[in-house]
Amino acid sequence: RKVGFLFQNYALWPNMTVYQNISFGLKNVKEEMAVLDVEAKKASDILRSLSGGRKIRELILECRDKKGNPDAQKAYVKLIDTFGLSMMTAKELYDLKIQDAADPDSAAAEAKKAYEKKLEDRKAARRARGEDLNADCQVVRGGIRRRNRCTCARGCENCQNRYVHGPVSGGAFRRTAAACRDRENTGTQTESTVHGRAAVKP
């Protein structure tokens, strides 16, 4: 938001790779995170905002520069604060040009139809894969939220989706659930990082 910033010294381990440095902090995250359909969430947020087309126009036109033209950066912040959007969604809402329409309510209604179709298409794509989306646009399978962990013997939930496991010996690679189980049974001493969690298997 260009409010200000503080300088902060970096704290990196020189004996770790870039991947290992990033994943080091993630191993402290204990809770499992639900899988979010980002495109569906964006469409849902815009649909919620489009309920007041005239209000969107008023909010954007309040944010003017010295020449009287709408200031996009200020408008983004205004939209974020009013409708609880992300920056990416606020930019997309601004780009609909509802503020320039002669009838903002009808312009918002037209955009609403397009985003309703987009959201329904995302839901249909998920249903084709045996999944669904809940009210928060989180992926649900069999009534249970999908998680960002795996169900194989190594404790990785989405191996069947070919999530990246690693690095091992300095290189990241892909493995299936069966490959993870095979590695589990080898009995070799290997240090690896799985989904940002360090693990040493005897």
Side-chain angles (χ1 to χ4, degrees):
R1 294 189 178 191
K2 300 184 179 179
V3 173
F5 65 93
L6 292 172
F7 289 102
Q8 182 176 341
N9 291 333
Y10 62 86
L12 300 175
W13 298 100
N15 60 325
M16 290 185 182
T17 65
V18 173
Y19 185 99
Q20 289 169 327
N21 268 288
I22 294 170
S23 64
F24 181 76
L26 298 177
K27 70 182 180 183
N28 294 315
V29 179
K30 304 300 180 187
E31 69 275 8
E32 298 175 4
M33 299 179 67
V35 176
L36 184 72
D37 190 317
V38 177
E39 288 300 317
K41 175 66 174 168
K42 188 165 65 171
S44 177
D45 287 344
I46 289 179
L47 276 172
R48 178 167 47 83
S49 308
L50 288 172
S51 56
R54 199 164 296 278
K55 186 177 182 181
I56 293 172
R57 180 181 184 174
E58 290 168 0
L59 287 170
I60 292 176
L61 293 181
E62 282 176 12
C63 305
R64 299 177 182 273
D65 58 20
K66 293 179 180 178
K67 296 180 180 178
N69 300 319
D71 187 324
Q73 293 296 328
K74 289 181 182 178
Y76 297 154
V77 175
K78 199 84 168 178
L79 294 171
I80 288 168
D81 287 343
T82 305
F83 299 111
L85 307 175
S86 67
M87 175 63 83
M88 180 174 62
T89 308
K91 286 182 177 180
E92 189 163 329
L93 184 59
Y94 181 87
D95 289 340
L96 293 177
K97 303 293 183 186
I98 293 172
Q99 68 276 11
D100 298 331
D103 186 358
D105 290 331
S106 63
E110 284 182 28
K112 198 171 183 179
K113 289 178 185 176
Y115 279 94
E116 282 171 350
K117 185 180 183 304
K118 188 174 183 180
L119 183 58
E120 187 52 44
D121 288 345
R122 296 296 298 181
K123 288 181 178 180
R126 288 290 179 182
R127 281 193 292 270
R129 286 156 47 180
E131 300 172 339
D132 206 348
L133 297 176
N134 63 14
D136 296 323
C137 294
Q138 295 169 346
V139 180
V140 177
R141 183 183 292 156
I144 301 172
R145 285 189 307 171
R146 274 190 55 194
R147 307 285 187 170
N148 271 326
R149 293 181 64 188
C150 307
T151 54
C152 74
R154 245 187 120 60
C156 2
E157 180 178 45
N158 288 323
C159 279
Q160 61 272 24
N161 293 338
R162 296 184 300 168
Y163 272 48
V164 174
H165 292 240
V168 174
S169 303
F173 58 92
R174 294 178 183 274
R175 266 206 304 275
T176 63
C180 278
R181 283 194 295 274
D182 292 342
R183 188 173 185 82
E184 186 81 13
N185 297 328
T186 56
T188 55
Q189 177 92 16
T190 306
E191 182 173 347
S192 64
T193 304
V194 179
H195 296 328
R197 297 167 188 266
V200 178
K201 298 306 294 182

